[in-house]
Amino acid sequence: MIENGAGEVPVRIYFADTDAGGVCYYGRYLEYMERGRAELLRDLGVDQVSFAAESGRGFIVRKLNASYLAPARLDNVLTIRTRVQSVRKIGVHLIQEAILDGKVAFSAEVEMVCVDAATLRPAQLPPDLLAKIQQLKPADP
């Protein structure tokens, strides 16, 4: 669901998500971020299967910079927040966060790029999707 220009998705930490100490395994956060990006696209009206079939395009993560700030534990509920930082014709720079008890537990800067599904070479976002994404970008100061 998009609120205040950001997509938000709740994620509960299950036993399978944790290490022997009951702390959320670091790799799981990347999976949660993927869910956040997928749900943001879904909230914008993009079903990725249909998008690929109709346009011959898909999305990949080109670059990701992550910071682990606080541990999440078994049965905690995180809010995965995805915000558009900037937009280009071929992709989007996103800020993604895992929020736990009102505080950022994990943060990532993510460059998501639209690609030709056959060649995996960069491809332009369809104009209607580009316009929807641009609406989520914060106004320049």
Side-chain angles (χ1 to χ4, degrees), residues 51-131:
F51 180 75
E54 294 167 10
S55 71
R57 293 177 237 182
F59 298 97
I60 64 167
V61 170
R62 181 183 169 278
K63 188 176 183 181
L64 183 138
N65 183 16
S67 297
Y68 298 87
L69 305 169
R73 298 181 186 280
L74 179 63
D75 213 34
N76 286 159
V77 176
L78 300 170
T79 298
I80 306 304
R81 183 176 298 147
T82 304
R83 291 180 287 124
V84 173
Q85 183 71 23
S86 62
V87 185
R88 298 183 307 146
K89 289 183 180 179
I90 63 163
V92 185
H93 182 242
L94 302 165
I95 302 296
Q96 292 193 276
E97 299 168 320
I99 311 297
L100 177 62
D101 297 328
K103 296 178 183 172
V104 178
F106 173 90
S107 178
E109 293 182 41
V110 180
E111 183 179 347
M112 182 176 76
V113 178
C114 183
V115 295
D116 179 284
T119 65
L120 298 181
R121 303 289 301 164
Q124 288 193 1
L125 289 162
D128 58 331
L129 178 56
L130 181 63

Side-chain angles (χ1 to χ4, degrees), residues 14-27:
Y14 294 104
F15 185 76
D17 299 324
T18 64
D19 62 16
V23 175
C24 185
Y25 178 66
Y26 75 94

Side-chain angles (χ1 to χ4, degrees), residues 17 25-37:
D17 299 324
Y25 178 66
Y26 75 94
R28 292 289 195 222
Y29 288 95
L30 301 180
E31 295 175 17
Y32 304 153
M33 297 304 115
E34 175 65 28
R35 290 182 203 177
R37 291 187 300 275

Side-chain angles (χ1 to χ4, degrees), residues 128-139:
D128 58 331
L129 178 56
L130 181 63
K132 288 178 184 179
I133 294 171
Q134 286 174 327
Q135 290 178 355
L136 297 179
K137 182 183 167 287

